[in-house]
Amino acid sequence: MRADIYHRAVVGVLVTILAAPILATLLYSLSRHWGATILPDDLSLSWYWQLLHDKAFMAAFGRSMAVCLGALALSALIIVPTAFVVFYRFPRLDKVMSALILIPFAVPPVVTSVGLLNIYADGPFAINGTPWILLGCYFTIALPFMYRAMANSMASMNIRDLMDAAHLLGASTSLAFVKIILPNLSKALMASLFLSFAFLLGDFVFANLLAGSHYETLQVYLYNVRQTSGHFTSAIVMSYFFTALILTWLTARFSK
């Protein structure tokens, strides 16, 4: 009984610590004025109403969603078949891939951005300030999350035995991949997609250095309006949080 109370108390303290900043930001975004008093003077949805009627915010939010979803679609189309080929045909290459996916974490984002700016500043691939350079950059960011999730899932399902059984039943390699392997990877794929999306949607360094105001994303927009009003920026932050919360719910729903 005492152990149960202790565990509940620990969980309650952790939840309180994690939820307090979010609740404070939410309350600040709902207040018209918050001065010397502990609680706000007046609660209103005016900041959210202003945010929804801000064309610059809606455009920035749409750009962020477009570039993040595009990068994740590209990552899924390339990484999932690549992981399958590695584990089914060339299992020894998994060690090489495990080393390669650490490169995006080893190189600081500023260094990566400077290198990309030097490569794509001019010439036939002058794509600085466009969403295309963000698509390629975000692909490298999503690569470690997605490949590691796919690798762990494939390593646990004994992929070679499943493919051999499918071949004995007359299925081709491509059909077995679509009908057998992909359904077994659905949970890992959804988890990696959500984790990558949350990371990409919150990116500021790459978006600001590679595209900036030429292709203003949500984080760049938040940086540009940071000095307008604390209530307004809090509403932007909570909009980002609500989007992540909805996507988490959708991920759990589709994973079933």
Side-chain angles (χ1 to χ4, degrees):
M1 184 64 181
R2 292 182 179 179
D4 185 61
I5 296 175
Y6 172 76
H7 294 157
R8 291 177 182 273
V10 171
V11 173
V13 171
L14 290 177
V15 171
T16 302
I17 294 174
L18 294 175
I22 299 175
L23 294 177
T25 305
L26 175 63
L27 191 61
Y28 196 69
S29 67
L30 293 174
S31 62
R32 290 181 180 272
H33 305 285
W34 197 344
T37 58
I38 298 178
L39 296 177
D41 300 330
D42 187 18
L43 296 179
S44 174
L45 294 174
S46 59
W47 298 111
Y48 289 94
W49 184 259
Q50 180 180 344
L51 189 63
L52 292 176
H53 288 78
D54 189 349
K55 295 181 179 180
F57 166 77
M58 299 304 295
F61 186 81
R63 294 188 193 102
S64 293
M65 295 293 292
V67 71
C68 290
L69 294 177
L72 292 179
L74 178 64
S75 301
L77 290 175
I78 295 177
I79 297 173
V80 175
T82 300
F84 169 73
V85 171
V86 168
F87 272 82
Y88 181 56
R89 294 293 187 183
F90 311 102
R92 293 183 179 180
L93 290 180
D94 180 49
K95 295 182 179 179
V96 179
M97 292 296 297
S98 298
L100 290 177
I101 63 176
L102 296 177
I103 295 178
F105 295 110
V107 181
V110 176
V111 177
T112 304
S113 300
V114 172
L116 292 173
L117 288 174
N118 291 330
I119 295 174
Y120 299 106
D122 51 15
F125 301 104
I127 56 176
N128 286 343
T130 67
W132 307 113
I133 192 171
L134 288 180
L135 282 175
C137 181
Y138 284 175
F139 168 79
T140 62
I141 297 176
L143 172 62
F145 299 105
M146 295 193 65
Y147 180 81
R148 195 67 267 159
M150 296 299 99
N152 293 338
S153 183
M154 289 185 181
S156 64
M157 72 171 61
N158 201 344
I159 187 172
R160 185 169 292 277
D161 289 346
L162 288 176
M163 293 300 297
D164 290 343
H167 289 157
L168 288 175
L169 295 174
S172 62
T173 301
S174 58
L175 181 62
F177 172 73
V178 174
K179 295 291 186 177
I180 299 176
I181 303 302
L182 280 182
N184 283 279
L185 295 175
S186 60
K187 289 187 177 181
L189 180 60
M190 293 298 294
S192 62
L193 286 174
F194 170 74
L195 180 62
S196 302
F197 180 83
F199 194 86
L200 296 179
L201 191 63
D203 169 67
F204 170 74
V205 177
F206 289 113
N208 187 47
L209 293 178
L210 298 178
S213 299
H214 297 286
Y215 191 78
E216 190 180 51
T217 59
L218 182 61
Q219 296 299 324
V220 177
Y221 171 82
L222 178 60
Y223 176 78
N224 291 334
V225 301
R226 67 190 186 281
Q227 295 180 348
T228 56
S229 172
H231 302 279
F232 186 71
T233 54
S234 296
I236 298 175
V237 173
M238 291 309 303
S239 299
Y240 166 77
F241 176 78
F242 288 143
T243 302
L245 186 64
I246 292 173
L247 290 175
T248 303
W249 177 81
L250 290 176
T251 301
R253 181 109 179 157
F254 287 124
S255 295
K256 295 180 181 180

